[in-house]
Amino acid sequence: MTHKSAAIIADKLTKLYGDLLAVDGISFQVDEGEIFGFLGPNGSGKTSTIRMLVGLSRPSGGRASVLGYDLPGESSQAKRYVGVVPDSSNLYDELSARENLLFMARLYSVPRKEQNSRVDRLLQDFGLYERRDDLFGTFSRGMKRALTIAAALVHEPRLLFLDEPTAGLDAAAARSLRRLISGLREKGMTVFLTTHYLTEADMLCDRIAILVQGRIVRIDTPDGLKHLIQDQSLIEFSFRGDVSALLADLQSRLEGGQAALLDSSRIRVYGGDPPRIFDAVFQSSRESGIGLESASTIRPSLEDAFLQITGLSPQVMAADKGSGKGSGVGR
Amino acid sequence: MAKVMGKVREKMMEKMMWQDQMRGVYHIAIKDMKTYYLKPPAISWGMVFPLAWTLAFYLRNPGDFAELVPGLLAMTIIFSTTAAEAVVINFELRLGTLERLLLTPLSMTSVLLGKVLGGFLFGLMMTAIVAAGAILYLGLQPDIPGLALISLISLMVFSSMGALFSLSVREVFEAQTLLNLPRFLMVFLCGVVYPVSALPEGLQLFSRLLPLTYTVQGLKASFFQEQGAVLAWDLIILFLFLILFLLPAIRLLQRRFS
């Protein structure tokens, strides 16, 4: 592991809450200027890791440094150069958009002469200038999220932590925010992004760490992750009825293949010998009386790589924090 | 030479960081004043409530109203400082806005001091209005430096007490309810309306354990020009109460984020 130009270094970082091991000795490095994705289902330890890296909680073990400052001892120095967008838009409802940003600028000791110009520029960049004097409490969810990101940028940080930036947003607002996040990379900012939207991670991240039960199970580029299953067959079957109960039976018939339920009527099979897989599925369909609607081979996506690596289904991720609020994967 | 320069730079950085912390405390207090304190609920608890109580006692015995002024001021101090403290801490913990403050380079102590300073400044405004009104209306001639000193330290003590009680519980309503116990207990036992000397001996001893006793005593000393030693003693004891409330409050806040 080289420490040259590292924005974040975590070495055997561990977090215990009583007897619960939330983060289990993870090690990784984020280089300056990259967008690093931290991907995992709810409870995998993403937020616990972020809380340690931004100085909100003390590690139970291991070491971490942010922008060369050791944590937790030098966290107040590190915080000067770090912006954080938490998973909830937590600015002040009673203050206007402009007042919220000015308040944050003052807390970060932005030079007095620059405060107004910086705040106005951010409001313009985020398309909120016309609403600058409106109270934060009156904003839509997407506007609140945009202003929360703007608030994290007011002191021009070198490193930005984004925790579920598009959770709960409608498709248009999510797309707009993703464009803004892409723009940050062009400005040379390092971004540490946690998300449970696999497509979002695929679109934005230079590298992705996959976290399951407090452990990093894989770190690679999105293409590298997809390449892991490039040589395998991927076949998706759609049925005319609910096949959830058939999964275990089907799995026992697949030699070398792995079946995953995408929703109640769709199954995806990874690996194995395609002719045998088709035979097994047709047989299962006949025996159960649930008709087969379609079958198609598909190109592997990050979702497929994720499933292969973690053994979880994309639905486990989609059922995460944003469930019921946003449209999740594929937005 | 390089070593010396390095040390000078380090000292300058430390000074800058200290100044930034103080500025942060001030900005948090001003923001809290705007968002929480200068609102009808805080004003009614901080000013209308003590005035209504005093009016009730005045109507019963209009002749001795001047004697009620230290008690009225003490009540204004305790109710105004604690009026929104429960809200500014517990409400912000729930909304996550307090966490946002802790993401800035400010230390936990500075964030808590900002919250305490908000209560202090609001209390100062309310107390100054009530004190000026009473002094002008009744033509009183208090020892102004003594009055200012005892009021300022008391405002800090009770604002810190509000912060401590707020951090002891999770919900805003729990904090409000919990704070009512010491507030009303002190109004009855600390000489606000009844002299401590008129209480049974056991309660007199108990009242010595309550900070408002020293506020009322100090205010009486400054209004009725009693000996300076009394005031100095009250100031020292109130300072000890300030530490007694502030340090555990900081510890409780740290524990919430440990």
Side-chain angles (χ1 to χ4, degrees), chain A:
Chain A
M1 184 183 280
T2 171
H3 291 187
K4 206 173 175 185
S5 73
I8 302 171
I9 299 168
D11 183 20
K12 299 189 177 84
L13 198 60
T14 304
K15 185 67 188 179
L16 271 161
Y17 294 104
D19 292 335
L20 178 75
L21 185 59
V23 179
D24 188 4
I26 60 173
S27 299
F28 63 92
Q29 175 178 317
V30 178
D31 294 327
E32 282 198 26
E34 78 171 325
I35 297 185
F36 187 83
F38 217 50
L39 211 64
N42 200 15
S44 59
K46 295 180 306 228
T47 300
S48 294
T49 305
I50 281 202
R51 290 178 73 81
M52 287 189 279
L53 294 175
V54 300
L56 274 181
S57 75
R58 298 176 80 86
S60 309
R63 294 174 60 191
S65 74
V66 166
L67 299 170
Y69 295 102
D70 288 330
L71 302 180
E74 296 174 320
S75 69
S76 59
Q77 286 102 307
K79 283 175 182 178
R80 291 173 176 275
Y81 309 105
V82 169
V84 184
V85 179
D87 57 356
S88 60
S89 300
N90 57 356
L91 293 173
Y92 293 95
D93 282 352
E94 302 85 354
L95 298 182
S96 70
R98 199 163 189 283
E99 286 169 333
N100 264 302
L101 295 192
L102 275 173
F103 176 56
M104 294 316 296
R106 287 168 188 148
L107 294 188
Y108 279 97
S109 302
V110 172
R112 192 188 287 255
K113 284 179 190 168
E114 291 178 33
Q115 286 174 5
N116 285 323
S117 58
R118 240 189 243 189
V119 163
D120 287 344
R121 196 177 60 236
L122 278 169
L123 286 167
Q124 276 161 352
D125 288 351
F126 282 79
L128 296 168
Y129 191 73
E130 299 304 316
R131 300 282 308 267
R132 63 190 179 280
D133 295 322
D134 292 350
L135 296 182
F136 181 68
T138 64
F139 279 13
S140 69
R141 199 192 295 265
M143 289 164 74
K144 280 185 173 179
R145 209 74 195 114
L147 193 72
T148 306
I149 297 177
L153 297 173
V154 77
H155 58 296
E156 297 182 344
R158 287 163 53 196
L159 168 62
L160 182 68
F161 286 91
L162 285 165
D163 195 359
E164 304 285 358
T166 61
L169 296 188
D170 60 47
R175 259 199 307 274
S176 161
L177 271 185
R178 283 190 203 114
R179 267 199 300 275
L180 286 167
I181 295 165
S182 287
L184 297 176
R185 186 214 320 256
E186 283 152 30
K187 290 178 183 167
M189 194 177 288
T190 309
V191 178
F192 187 94
L193 170 79
T194 73
T195 180
H196 59 274
Y197 296 138
L198 300 159
T199 312
E200 183 169 281
D202 195 5
M203 284 160 62
L204 292 173
C205 297
D206 298 309
R207 284 192 307 143
I208 291 169
I210 294 177
L211 197 68
V212 180
Q213 292 178 335
R215 287 184 180 186
I216 291 179
V217 293
R218 182 81 63 169
I219 301 180
D220 209 332
T221 61
D223 283 342
L225 290 170
K226 284 179 239 173
H227 193 73
L228 289 172
I229 56 168
Q230 205 82 51
D231 301 331
Q232 294 183 0
S233 70
L234 267 176
I235 309 166
E236 193 173 304
F237 297 94
S238 290
F239 295 84
R240 290 201 180 91
D242 190 341
V243 286
S244 334
L246 281 186
L247 192 66
D249 170 63
L250 187 61
Q251 182 63 60
S252 67
R253 296 169 192 250
L254 299 170
E255 288 169 24
Q258 187 189 344
L261 198 65
L262 296 180
D263 56 44
S264 61
S265 62
R266 284 191 309 144
I267 282 175
R268 195 173 285 180
V269 181
Y270 299 84
D273 180 30
R276 288 187 178 186
I277 287 166
F278 278 108
D279 282 349
V281 172
F282 290 149
Q283 197 179 346
S284 187
S285 168
R286 264 196 312 274
E287 286 172 13
S288 63
I290 304 171
L292 189 62
E293 199 167 66
S294 67
S296 53
T297 56
I298 54 170
R299 284 183 62 192
S301 67
L302 189 63
E303 285 177 35
D304 302 310
F306 180 84
L307 183 130
Q308 187 76 351
I309 292 163
T310 64
L312 300 169
S313 84
Q315 276 60 46
V316 173
M317 301 285 283
D320 207 335
K321 294 175 187 173
S323 61
K325 293 175 189 169
S327 51
V329 176
R331 292 180 308 160

